[in-house]
């Protein structure tokens, strides 16, 4: 896996992931759909994984790279 995310892109994904996970942990049953909560959790975790690894599978499939070479 070659990195395909620019550092700013990684930071944005990290912020999005933290906000979503934080919302899910602190929502106090604001969301009534457990499926929606699970999907949001998966999305948040995937953003955090992209932050850590610097690699995005969607960018890889689309042939996109925002990483400076």
């Amino acid at each position: 896996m070659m990195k395909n995310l620019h550092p700013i892109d990684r930071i944005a994904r990290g912020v999005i992931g933290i906000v979503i996970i934080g919302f899910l942990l602190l929502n106090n049953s604001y969301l009534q759909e457990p499926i929606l909560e699970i999907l949001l959790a998966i999305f948040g975790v995937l953003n955090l994984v992209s932050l850590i690894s610097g690699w995005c599978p969607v960018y890889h499939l689309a042939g996109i790279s925002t990483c400076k070479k």
Side-chain angles (χ1 to χ4, degrees):
M1 293 185 312
M2 293 179 56
K3 291 185 178 185
N4 61 3
L5 294 175
H6 188 271
I8 294 174
D9 197 7
R10 291 174 72 180
I11 291 170
R13 288 170 184 264
V15 169
I16 291 168
I18 290 170
V19 167
I20 289 174
I21 298 296
F23 171 74
L24 291 173
L25 292 174
L26 303 172
N27 73 18
N28 294 329
S29 299
Y30 181 74
L31 297 174
Q32 298 295 324
E33 292 291 327
I35 300 295
L36 181 58
E37 289 180 352
I38 292 169
L39 290 175
L40 282 173
I42 291 169
F43 182 70
V45 168
L46 288 176
N47 275 306
L48 293 177
V49 169
S50 291
L51 164 71
I52 294 167
S53 69
W55 182 76
C56 176
V58 176
Y59 279 15
H60 179 74
L61 291 173
I64 299 170
S65 177
T66 59
C67 186
K68 291 182 179 179
K69 297 185 181 198

